[in-house]
Amino acid sequence: MFTWRSYVILAVALGFLVTLYRTYIPPPHLWPTHPVEEAEFDVPDRNVDWAARANAVKQAFAHAYHGYEAYAFPEDELLPLTNSSEMKFNGWGVTVFDSLDTMILMGFDEEFKRALDLVKKTKFVRKMDEYAPFFETVIRYLGGLMSAYALSKEPVLLEKADELARVLSPVFNTETGFPYYAVNPISGSIRGPDFGILAEIASFQLEYTAVAQASKKKEYYEKVARVNAALATGNLTSTGGMFPKSWSLKTGQVYDQELSVGAAADSAHEYTLKQYLLTGRTDKASLELYLKLTTFVINNLLYLSPTRHMLYVTSLHVTHGSPSGVLEHLSCFFPGLLALGAHLLPLDDLSSLGIDYLGLAANLSSRDREGYTILSKYNLRKLHMWAAKGLTETCYLTYADQPSGLGPEEILFVSGGVRWMKVMEQWRERGGRGPIPGLGKKEPVVIPSYDSETQYKKHVQMDYWVRTGAYLLRPETVESLYLLWRTTGEYRWRDYAWRIFESIEKYTKTESGYASVKIEGNGNVVKENEMPSFFLAETLKYLYLAFVDRDPIDLEKWVFNTEAHPLPVFEWTAEEKSLFGIP
């Protein structure tokens, strides 16, 4: 006769068998004779109405933008808890400029007409003691104007873009051409330290190139060419060919040796590939910088966690020599970039572009040259896409693991992680059969709260601690989900994006818009009084584009800037090459 102890023993035994089944890895002789990718098991749900889901995102945009119009227009951003406004980026109405192309893509014609009236009346001025931050002004205002111009052909948008680029350009008055942090658009006086944050000095090339090409004004392209030349000639031997976070504006050389694809660096790395794509794939120097970046990251910054084998990208200070173990939400754009490159570049045939892959490492250390040799043994296109898939799965898991379904700002992985390429080499030497390390769908491990006791009990199972429990309406993960869906056609990325949108609707929606949230130690979600303009420019746009059946943005013909403003790909004409001095 069964006693209660018998039932306990039986339950424990069954739990053990289930765990064993889920984690069992067959011996090599039973492995498939080819690499196993999760796409082989990707089965779409034919009952999903994706048009209805796209429409739900449209309604979310309408709710947010109409709330901004009602309570914050024409100031910069809505404060969604107090139904008031905030002047955050120059006071010119950044939410309007940042939302222009989203309105066009979603078909909000009346809202676009009202926004266009504001754009026409905007004067790009500030008080004499106030300064416009160059980076944020370029990616939000200038990028928004040029994208909306490309989509609508409204002449006033190009006129205002030209005007804005002109009043911002004194920021380049440095010995090296690297821009200072900020400029007064009336006096032209500049402000900032003599060292520049990488993202702030090297994330304007797409926007200025677009303005130069459309306006036929040489001075804008000269700014791009000078900064790109300075970046290309920087001494990167000690950093393995990857751009560090800080640069001297006086000497044009690196200022530190901290390497990351996250905060203070992200968009500059992004623009190496995208500048190449924007200019009709003719800017070979930018492509080579992208290849150096991705080679270093794949060799040195990608790790597998010890228990769940989550593939993550972290940061490294060369002097210290050990990875930080931190994964930033901002870094979750990177897998989308890898997927875009794998989709559009002949990475498995770089010689067709006149690129000697091993030759790119000629000026690097023997250790870094060995990294190029290792990667040359792989089909580089497949390797980049595998990395993209594994990293995107991890970025999504950071959402799915949370009770709210919203991803934290930062997590810290536990010690014991192993470099991905070390494990990949072991896999390759075994014949490259069976599961690819770090890939595959993983089940969430949901924690009920963020308090230290609960996290201590769960962190071994989860492989990480939540370092900063906040969701700031950021777009990076849904950006990568969108790009993975469009480049692979695998439905799980689309499904993941919908789950995130459901959580956004449930936890961040307010009477007038949407709010960033903070996750308290007990797991409670607390709304913060802010709705960043990038929520309308990026987060909702990428979600919408992931759900529409016919994407209006052909990745072969458009390039997104770092604020999700699509710019049209072009080829320089003979006249433009002569005018701008392009070989």
Side-chain angles (χ1 to χ4, degrees), residues 284-325:
K284 184 178 173 183
S286 289
L287 176 58
E288 290 179 344
L289 291 173
Y290 174 73
L291 294 171
K292 291 178 182 179
L293 155 74
T294 51
T295 298
F296 185 89
V297 172
I298 289 172
N299 271 318
N300 300 282
L301 301 186
L302 299 192
Y303 280 76
L304 284 174
S305 66
T307 303
R308 300 166 76 188
H309 308 301
M310 298 167 70
L311 180 61
Y312 63 96
V313 60
T314 190
S315 57
L316 170 73
H317 198 291
V318 175
T319 304
H320 302 158
S322 58
S324 69

Side-chain angles (χ1 to χ4, degrees), residues 493-505:
W493 311 116
R494 210 180 192 189
D495 183 58
Y496 289 170
W498 174 251
R499 296 182 197 180
I500 290 174
F501 177 70
E502 287 184 306
S503 294
I504 290 172
E505 281 287 291

Side-chain angles (χ1 to χ4, degrees), residues 510-526:
T510 72
E511 174 192 344
S512 59
Y514 293 81
S516 297
V517 297
K518 180 172 61 177
I519 314 297
E520 295 186 332
N522 58 9
N524 289 340
V525 178
V526 180

Side-chain angles (χ1 to χ4, degrees), residues 243-507:
F243 295 153
K245 278 188 176 184
S246 298
W247 291 64
S248 169
L249 304 187
K250 290 185 175 294
T251 67
Q253 292 303 319
V254 300
Y255 196 81
D256 72 1
Q257 294 190 320
E258 186 174 358
L259 304 175
S260 170
V261 297
D266 44 7
S267 49
H269 298 314
E270 177 184 355
Y271 278 23
T272 56
L273 172 63
K274 292 187 174 181
Q275 181 72 3
Y276 173 74
L277 297 176
L278 180 73
T279 54
R281 309 185 194 192
T282 57
D283 187 346
K284 184 178 173 183
S286 289
L287 176 58
E288 290 179 344
L289 291 173
Y290 174 73
L291 294 171
K292 291 178 182 179
L293 155 74
T294 51
T295 298
F296 185 89
V297 172
I298 289 172
N299 271 318
N300 300 282
L301 301 186
L302 299 192
Y303 280 76
L304 284 174
S305 66
T307 303
R308 300 166 76 188
H309 308 301
M310 298 167 70
L311 180 61
Y312 63 96
V313 60
T314 190
S315 57
L316 170 73
H317 198 291
V318 175
T319 304
H320 302 158
S322 58
S324 69
V326 173
L327 171 62
E328 303 173 56
H329 193 290
L330 288 168
S331 298
C332 283
F333 88 95
F334 188 68
L337 186 71
L338 287 174
L340 184 67
H343 180 64
L344 296 177
L345 301 175
L347 292 175
D348 51 351
D349 185 22
L350 289 171
S351 60
S352 68
L353 302 178
I355 291 178
D356 174 10
Y357 180 64
L358 294 178
L360 295 176
N363 296 323
L364 302 180
S365 68
S366 58
R367 179 183 178 278
D368 288 317
R369 289 197 300 272
E370 176 62 20
Y372 280 75
T373 301
I374 290 172
L375 263 59
S376 70
K377 299 174 183 178
Y378 294 79
N379 178 309
L380 207 56
R381 189 192 69 79
K382 288 185 177 180
L383 186 68
H384 279 219
M385 189 60 83
W386 291 341
K389 291 181 178 181
L391 290 169
T392 304
E393 183 74 25
T394 294
C395 287
Y396 169 69
L397 277 178
T398 66
Y399 280 71
D401 285 348
Q402 316 311 317
S404 66
L406 297 173
E409 182 73 354
E410 284 185 331
I411 62 174
L412 175 63
F413 278 89
V414 299
S415 60
V418 183
R419 272 195 318 109
W420 185 54
M421 282 311 301
K422 179 179 181 180
V423 181
M424 286 296 292
E425 276 295 87
Q426 295 169 351
W427 174 80
R428 185 184 64 82
E429 290 167 0
R430 293 196 301 262
R433 296 180 297 147
I436 300 167
L439 270 68
K441 189 174 182 179
K442 297 175 176 63
E443 294 300 318
V445 178
V446 179
I447 60 171
S449 69
Y450 288 139
D451 65 273
S452 58
E453 183 179 355
T454 301
Q455 285 220 54
Y456 182 77
K457 292 177 181 177
K458 286 282 190 177
H459 80 276
V460 174
Q461 185 181 1
M462 293 179 66
D463 277 348
Y464 66 83
W465 303 80
V466 172
R467 193 182 192 198
T468 306
Y471 173 64
L472 307 181
L473 299 175
R474 289 201 187 278
E476 290 77 21
T477 295
V478 296
E479 173 184 356
S480 285
L481 292 172
Y482 159 70
L483 288 169
L484 264 290
W485 156 241
R486 289 300 177 191
T487 57
T488 70
E490 295 171 16
Y491 279 83
R492 63 176 162 137
W493 311 116
R494 210 180 192 189
D495 183 58
Y496 289 170
W498 174 251
R499 296 182 197 180
I500 290 174
F501 177 70
E502 287 184 306
S503 294
I504 290 172
E505 281 287 291
K506 182 176 181 179
Y507 289 102

